[in-house]
Amino acid sequence: MQRDLKDRLYEQFARIGKALANPHRIEILELLAQSDRTVESLASEIGLSLANASQHLKTLRQAALVESRKDGLHVHYRLADPGVFDLCAVIRAVAERRLADFERLVQQHFGERSDLQPVAMRDLLDRAKADDVVILDVRPAREFEAGHIAGAISMPIDDLQARLRLLPTDREYVAYCRGPYCVYADRAVELLHRSRRHARRLFEGFPEWRAAGFPVARGPEASASKITRSSRRAGSPRQRRART
Amino acid sequence: MQRDLKDRLYEQFARIGKALANPHRIEILELLAQSDRTVESLASEIGLSLANASQHLKTLRQAALVESRKDGLHVHYRLADPGVFDLCAVIRAVAERRLADFERLVQQHFGERSDLQPVAMRDLLDRAKADDVVILDVRPAREFEAGHIAGAISMPIDDLQARLRLLPTDREYVAYCRGPYCVYADRAVELLHRSRRHARRLFEGFPEWRAAGFPVARGPEASASKITRSSRRAGSPRQRRART
DNA sequence: AGCATATTCAAGTAATATATTAAATAGTTG
DNA sequence: CAACTATTTAATATATTACTTGAATATGCT
């Protein structure tokens, strides 16, 4: 009964599913959720051959999940719709809740992270409004420029060590990166702790922040030199807020 | 850098994606979003051989999207997590917005539906609170029992014609079914219109209602005989509300 | 024009997925 | 226990997918 119609509708849904049926393609989508990228840039970041990356992108384009724009020699790919990130996010959520293998993997590699008391998005928003915290975007500059948490300062993880002296020691820092399983923010927090600064990471990454509808900004700007010392108690970090 | 970890994480995500890479498996998931079902029941509804249905269910179980429970001769399958319906919903949303083929298909088969002015979930909730409308669940009784919109009356589409006389002519009706592309509610509205009753369909279906957090109920109950005639103007349907 | 670079395309192969058929298992009924 | 039903498993043919390699295309630069 209506079999033909149903088959055709579900065939369309499965086009999306098929595009998500490969680990490298999901990784491509999550990278594109940070910023546009060229084929070569995606291939080298993920460790794919150029031809292979190009083929995956073709698959994704045929499923209408990405779009491309030609710019001279380069072809820039981008997500076709904010809903594409939702796809990744829901897959991740289900994997977290349901896949024992996934949980084990996370436990092995991020088990110690709970000691670092990641900050929730809502809490960060409140503290940012109170100008209570310095938000550090530790992703590559290109991704910061494509979109970042409003008020954040670009401090790519590779430059952080060299630029530490720009960061007053009496402020509190929250670092964020690409997502909950990206280690950039962990490394940043580690570096900041080593230099006796108070720092935590945002639990999520920028795409989750944007998807939640929290304030974002675009473009370069906000050099670290703008960070002022704490106006509250010069020389000593303010009391840590209680978090449960 | 951290390639090995990333590969393993994305491999897990892709397990979910692979499970969604087949039209019949997506259809199985959407059916299970209505109610638990046995293998045989799924196979016959979808038009699959038993062995084939069993294999698809095995795939879904290995991706931890469904669980099974043995009951005598039968094995009942159910969604493993509410997030699994979210997967279907997000895929559908992306298909609707991005796939031209899908849009064309919908236009061809449901193009005339906009004439019927489907009711939005929010509007239905408001009107239900005001006891302004009779909500008819036109899915099979089994699905109604597994969960339905709070206050709805079970009126399976196959019985509707025979039970029409139980429905006062001076009330307004909203019929709903499995989802936006299920035709049961369309047929119900058509039958009700033919018998000069005022009726519209809910745009979405029960799983969307539940996922939105609107009030639901379980179990049999609520026979049609409980429907009272309108207390406002006996004999004539009340004025239609303006909808834009 | 000639060369370099970025990307796509085409062909081939290995691996994986799908559906069919037949056989095996497990539980129920008489 | 035999007959029956629901489900799973196994075996197989076919189709699809993933990655590699090498060639083709397209653009920009000198």
Side-chain angles (χ1 to χ4, degrees), chain B residues 38-40 50-51 54 73-75 77:
Chain B
T38 65
V39 181
E40 141 66 21
L50 265 173
S54 179
L73 270 180
H74 300 269
V75 178
Y77 281 84

Side-chain angles (χ1 to χ4, degrees), chain A residues 177-213:
Chain A
C177 54
R178 290 172 173 167
Y181 303 109
C182 175
V183 297
Y184 290 167
D186 293 328
R187 287 205 217 133
V189 167
E190 198 192 329
L191 278 177
L192 290 163
H193 280 175
R194 275 207 220 126
S195 62
R196 315 198 69 69
R197 284 170 177 83
H198 184 248
R200 285 153 76 194
R201 72 162 283 158
L202 179 65
F203 188 86
E204 296 88 353
F206 174 68
E208 291 81 11
W209 178 274
R210 179 173 49 195

Side-chain angles (χ1 to χ4, degrees), chain B residues 165-209:
Chain B
R165 70 193 60 212
L166 298 174
L167 306 178
T169 53
D170 65 347
R171 298 294 308 265
E172 292 191 34
Y173 295 92
V174 171
Y176 73 90
C177 53
R178 290 172 174 167
Y181 303 109
C182 175
V183 296
Y184 291 167
D186 293 327
R187 286 206 218 132
V189 168
E190 199 193 328
L191 279 177
L192 290 164
H193 280 175
R194 275 208 221 124
S195 61
R196 315 198 69 70
R197 286 170 175 85
H198 183 247
R200 285 152 75 193
R201 72 162 283 158
L202 180 64
F203 187 87
E204 296 87 354
F206 174 69
E208 290 81 11
W209 178 274

Side-chain angles (χ1 to χ4, degrees), chain A residues 123-140:
Chain A
D123 291 336
L124 178 58
L125 184 67
D126 293 341
R127 298 187 62 182
K129 277 180 186 162
D131 203 15
D132 193 27
V133 72
V134 178
I135 307 178
L136 298 180
D137 183 321
V138 299
R139 299 173 300 160

Side-chain angles (χ1 to χ4, degrees), chain B residues 5-156:
Chain B
L5 169 61
K6 285 191 184 172
D7 283 349
R8 282 199 260 173
L9 288 170
Y10 284 105
E11 187 190 332
Q12 294 299 313
F13 296 148
R15 284 175 65 190
I16 312 273
K18 281 181 209 285
L20 300 170
N22 178 280
H24 293 139
R25 283 200 293 270
I26 298 183
E27 189 168 3
I28 288 174
L29 293 178
E30 295 213 338
L31 274 173
L32 292 178
Q34 313 293 332
S35 71
D36 296 6
R37 272 181 178 266
T38 65
V39 181
E40 141 66 21
S41 147
L42 285 165
S44 66
E45 175 90 26
I46 302 187
L48 299 176
S49 73
L50 265 173
N52 195 197
S54 179
Q55 279 173 126
H56 281 309
L57 287 164
K58 185 182 180 184
T59 303
L60 290 170
R61 192 173 37 198
Q62 286 172 345
L65 301 189
V66 306
E67 288 172 340
S68 60
R69 163 181 57 93
K70 211 161 189 179
D71 172 27
L73 270 180
H74 300 269
V75 178
H76 293 262
Y77 281 84
R78 61 171 172 273
L79 295 191
D81 189 287
V84 178
F85 173 71
D86 297 340
L87 282 172
C88 300
V90 178
I91 287 178
R92 187 198 298 153
V94 172
E96 286 169 346
R97 284 203 298 271
R98 303 293 318 164
L99 292 180
D101 290 346
F102 184 79
E103 195 178 353
R104 196 164 33 70
L105 207 50
V106 169
Q107 191 53 41
Q108 274 174 20
H109 288 268
F110 301 103
E112 76 293 345
R113 191 188 268 177
S114 42
D115 304 341
L116 300 180
Q117 291 191 289
V119 179
M121 294 197 290
R122 184 73 233 175
D123 291 336
L124 179 56
L125 184 66
D126 294 341
R127 298 188 63 183
K129 278 180 186 161
D131 204 16
D132 193 28
V133 73
V134 177
I135 307 178
L136 299 180
D137 184 321
V138 300
R139 300 173 300 159
R142 178 146 185 22
E143 299 175 18
F144 175 88
E145 287 171 29
H148 53 262
I149 295 182
I153 287 165
S154 179
M155 184 65 60

